[in-house]
Amino acid sequence: MHGRVKVRTTEEERERKKKEQALKVRAYRAAMGRIQKKREAGELDSEMLTLTVQILQRNPDVSTLWNIRRECVLEKLSKLKEEVEDEEEKPAQEEPVGDKPPVKEDKAHSIFTCELDLTEQCLMVNPKSYSAWHHRCWTLEQDPRADWQRELQLCNKYLKYDERNFHTWDYRRYVTAKAAVPAAQELDFCTEKIKVNFSNYSSWHHRSLLLPELYPNEQRDRPMSEEKLQQELEMVLTAAFTDPNDSSAWFYQRWLLGSGAQLDRAPRVAAFRLESQGAVLALDRPYPDLKQLKTELTGGEQKVELQSWLPVDSSGTSWKCQQSLDYQRNTIYSLKLCDQEVNLSPLPGPEDGAFYFAPPHAAASCSKELLAELQTQLQSCLDLLEFEPDSKWTLLTSALLMRAIEVSANHEKSLAHLAKLEKVDALREGYYKDLAARWTLEYELAKWPQAAGFPRNFTLAEDVLLASLPYGQYFVIADELNLSIKLREQLGDSVPITFADLKVKGDF
Amino acid sequence: MDFTTFVKPSNGDGGGDGDGQNGQKLQFWKHVEYIENHGKQEDDYEYCMTEFLRMSGIYWGTTALDIMGQLDRLDRKYIVEFVKRCQCPTTGGFAPCEGHDAHLLYTLSAIQILCTYQALEEIDCEAVVRFVVGLQQPDGSFFGDKWGEVDTRFSFCAVATLTLLGRMDQTIDVEKAVKFVLSCGNQTDGGFGSKPGAESHAGLIYCCVGFFSLTQRLHLLDVDKLGWWLCERQLPSGGLNGRPEKLPDVCYSWWVLASLTIMGRLHWISSEKLQQFILSCQDAETGGFSDRTGNMPDIFHTLFGIGGLSLLGHSGLKAINPTLCMPQYIIDRLGIKPQRLARP
């Protein structure tokens, strides 16, 4: 039960309401009793339809009654079919002349119309009734003459009443597929909806489904083509600035600035280290069982499949393989994981070995035009912040824009925005702290290959403050982590495991 | 049971010692009374008009009372007999009450109740398994019943039911089921809707996150993206909404809170403010929780109010499992381990 305000009523009113409700209860029970009796007797007739209407019109969520109506519809249809077959069996007395109206189809159609009318009435009572929406879909699926254009009009009408009703949007997607409405036409509809009201997350969502289809990105490192992306960025910022406190457009904006990665994409090699006694592998995203993925090591003429991977920790991002490998100096090694093949570099220092490392989350490249658009947007955000320094969404978005333009040059500035957000948006303080830790680690890991002692040593300066240590799996190729005592204490058991740790344990 | 072990504090709001300092205290005994009396007046209009979801109503009530350590106030025998009568002899599924049809939604509720009462052996569990398995479609999705409605809620109900029955192995096609739920994910926000292409919605996100928790596949989530969208559901009142620019609601607070907990991101919202919001939705006169402050209470929001407080660690309440929304001790007793991610 949602949104029913508790109101004080007089004793008299309460009594009156009680009587009224008692009558309703009696009527409901009588009707339900009669319906169940008839159903047991197999009487799926017109009276049954009338009885169910009475209840459904008030309470369309009683799904069993829709089931009964479907049984009635199927019964009527099968009777119609029998009638037609009987007709056909009779000897033809006279040939039909001209266009004889298809009586059977008309009759069937009127059965469906009756169901559609009822669902329409019910949806006026409760536009969020799962059962009523489903009955409408079911009915249309039975009807070979279903009028999908009419259904599209109905969606338009319902979306005018409530532009956020997700049932209507779901139904719209179902109908447009049936009616083969071109995606470009749907996009126009969406644009119109957004123009009427920017604060419409449902419209932005609908849009986000259409654009990647209409304007695909070849490299798949952005949600859509750069050209279209640029236009969308312009449009969404206008929307966001119309009411900077409305979140809908800002969410869309963050999606536009993101990578467009798929949820079920295969993990990629983040870091790898190989020595004679075995190897460690860090993935850029967790995978529950590395043994299921093919990992192949090539060195000169030699090809070895690495098997028997064991997890280094519970996250599924770092793995060890205790397979003794005949490491050959002066041989170029490469590692293949699924479709990805990476070349290994020889490990510096006295021991033999090779490694690979790719820092997380390299920003997608930008065309000149897109870069110019991002810079314009950033400037607009910074201008707005002059007037409204505590504007949460502007603070966050400008930090994201800075990072989309140039990550490392804007590192300190973007962290400053997060620090400010911890204050102005204190509910989500924990989120901003973790995000700052991520950005910091991305920054530090990007710098690591240039550091002395890479990849054996990793040093995090004392003054780098972190709430957590994400990307810990990347350190599995290191021997030594120089972290401040404070950070070590804070991390407790979750200090990342290194190659040296595994050696000490006797794994290698 | 021995009622003398529960000494009612004179001010009538036990269980809340030290919690909710800035606002209300938990009206512990009022809620116990509210749930206990729910359903005693069979001729009550609301009660009668909601018989189509009775089975879930009983699950909400028993679970809330169990979390409060007061399960013994309900008549176990009466409830178990009722549940047994609702199993459909033809399909094996459970109806919400007699005279209605079996459906996955009420089948899960029935199994949850029977697990609470350790009464699974009193029904034909194999028939339930057959019912669930029979509803899986070639694309991995699940119908709610034979009439063909598809929804990620049903994917959750299917795996939750089988998990509670200890029958996840060699029954449904888990890989296909996973693939379908993944196809309902959204690029924009990392969330999930009811079907492919559907807008993200906290209730459906709970179902999908719970689904991945039960199938041990939380690695498939984009935790950072989804976690951010979820923590953005918290509004200045402390309550959480289900979608952007919507009103806060106690039940959405549960869906979001449970999802964040499963993902190890509970610290991304303010627990203190959420607790204040939930407590503000209590009806101090009648007991029970409503969707929002000042509205009419109901049994559904009462469970999610109590459950939310339990997840937030409110004293005087038993721990609740975020994936199955049942007391943790029952989940432990069944030997079930839904997956949960560690805090980063």
Side-chain angles (χ1 to χ4, degrees), chain A residues 223-508:
Chain A
M224 65 196 77
S225 75
E226 280 212 0
E227 230 184 321
K228 190 66 198 171
L229 186 68
Q230 204 181 316
Q231 292 171 15
E232 287 297 296
L233 280 166
E234 265 176 68
M235 172 172 165
V236 79
L237 200 69
T238 313
F241 279 174
T242 307
D243 177 6
N245 293 319
D246 185 281
S247 64
S248 313
W250 294 113
F251 277 111
Y252 188 75
Q253 161 98 351
R254 192 168 182 181
W255 171 65
L256 290 177
L257 293 173
S259 66
Q262 300 290 327
L263 267 185
D264 54 350
R265 74 169 172 90
R268 297 175 68 80
V269 182
F272 179 75
R273 178 165 164 182
L274 164 77
E275 287 193 10
S276 306
Q277 306 90 329
V280 288
L281 171 63
L283 303 173
D284 70 336
R285 55 176 296 170
Y287 196 79
D289 189 5
L290 191 56
K291 275 176 277 184
Q292 288 174 13
L293 302 179
K294 199 175 171 185
T295 43
E296 197 176 60
L297 185 72
T298 311
E301 300 294 299
Q302 226 185 344
K303 244 187 191 144
V304 191
E305 196 173 323
L306 300 179
Q307 284 157 331
S308 64
W309 287 103
L310 293 169
V312 169
D313 58 25
S314 63
S315 69
T317 47
S318 45
W319 299 82
K320 62 186 178 191
C321 167
Q322 292 151 306
Q323 204 169 323
S324 94
L325 301 153
D326 183 20
Y327 181 79
Q328 303 282 327
R329 220 177 255 223
N330 302 324
T331 304
I332 296 166
Y333 282 90
S334 68
L335 178 76
K336 206 173 164 191
L337 172 73
C338 303
D339 298 337
Q340 184 198 11
E341 187 160 13
V342 297
N343 287 321
L344 310 186
S345 313
L347 205 60
E351 295 125 72
D352 284 341
F355 79 101
Y356 171 81
F357 174 80
H361 200 44
S365 62
C366 259
S367 69
K368 242 197 219 161
E369 292 78 14
L370 182 59
L371 193 65
E373 176 61 32
L374 294 176
Q375 273 158 343
T376 312
Q377 298 221 330
L378 176 60
Q379 197 49 54
S380 310
C381 284
L382 295 176
D383 291 347
L384 184 65
L385 283 174
E386 291 280 316
F387 297 100
E388 291 179 46
D390 292 348
S391 167
K392 166 195 162 166
W393 291 102
T394 321
L395 278 166
L396 180 63
T397 303
S398 50
L400 295 170
L401 283 164
M402 283 185 229
R403 289 173 57 81
I405 292 165
E406 212 330 70
V407 179
S408 56
N410 290 310
H411 181 61
E412 293 299 328
K413 269 190 251 169
S414 50
L415 284 188
H417 279 214
L418 291 187
K420 174 114 199 205
L421 281 162
E422 282 177 35
K423 304 273 180 307
V424 302
D425 189 22
L427 291 175
R428 281 161 281 275
E429 186 192 354
Y431 170 71
Y432 297 119
K433 284 201 159 120
D434 280 352
L435 186 60
R438 282 190 84 78
W439 288 358
T440 302
L441 259 293
E442 282 168 19
Y443 177 71
E444 297 290 339
L445 284 169
K447 284 196 312 186
W448 193 22
Q450 282 80 51
F454 172 78
R456 293 181 187 274
N457 300 309
F458 175 83
T459 305
L460 198 62
E462 289 271 337
D463 61 347
V464 178
L465 301 173
L466 294 173
S468 52
L469 193 71
Y471 299 114
Q473 75 270 26
Y474 285 75
F475 300 116
V476 77
I477 61 165
D479 286 329
E480 199 183 347
L481 300 183
N482 298 310
L483 309 174
S484 69
I485 296 165
K486 200 183 153 221
L487 183 58
R488 275 191 184 273
E489 272 174 9
Q490 199 185 315
L491 293 172
D493 293 341
S494 53
V495 173
I497 295 163
T498 62
F499 200 80
D501 294 335
L502 296 171
K503 268 188 180 168
V504 170
K505 265 175 56 192
D507 282 348
F508 301 118

Side-chain angles (χ1 to χ4, degrees), chain A residues 106-122:
Chain A
D106 277 353
K107 275 188 182 166
H109 193 67
S110 73
I111 295 172
F112 298 130
T113 307
C114 177
E115 297 307 300
L116 293 179
D117 288 348
L118 177 62
T119 57
E120 216 172 315
Q121 289 163 27
C122 289

Side-chain angles (χ1 to χ4, degrees), chain B residues 32-106:
Chain B
V32 171
E33 206 181 316
Y34 176 82
I35 302 163
E36 201 184 343
N37 290 333
H38 182 80
K40 277 192 180 164
Q41 296 145 305
E42 287 196 351
D43 287 333
D44 177 66
Y45 174 71
E46 288 300 337
Y47 189 78
C48 177
M49 288 304 157
T50 53
E51 69 168 24
F52 68 91
L53 47 73
R54 181 72 63 244
M55 190 66 77
S56 296
I58 296 174
Y59 152 71
W60 298 327
T62 49
T63 304
L65 274 186
D66 201 1
I67 292 293
M68 299 174 91
Q70 302 291 316
L71 184 61
D72 290 4
R73 290 182 179 240
L74 299 178
D75 187 343
R76 177 190 188 277
K77 194 166 170 252
Y78 178 83
I79 291 175
V80 172
E81 285 306 316
F82 169 82
V83 174
K84 281 161 74 177
R85 285 200 305 276
C86 291
Q87 186 170 25
C88 169
T90 327
T91 63
F94 285 82
C97 72
E98 288 163 281
H100 289 249
D101 294 346
H103 193 282
L104 250 185
L105 289 170
Y106 309 112

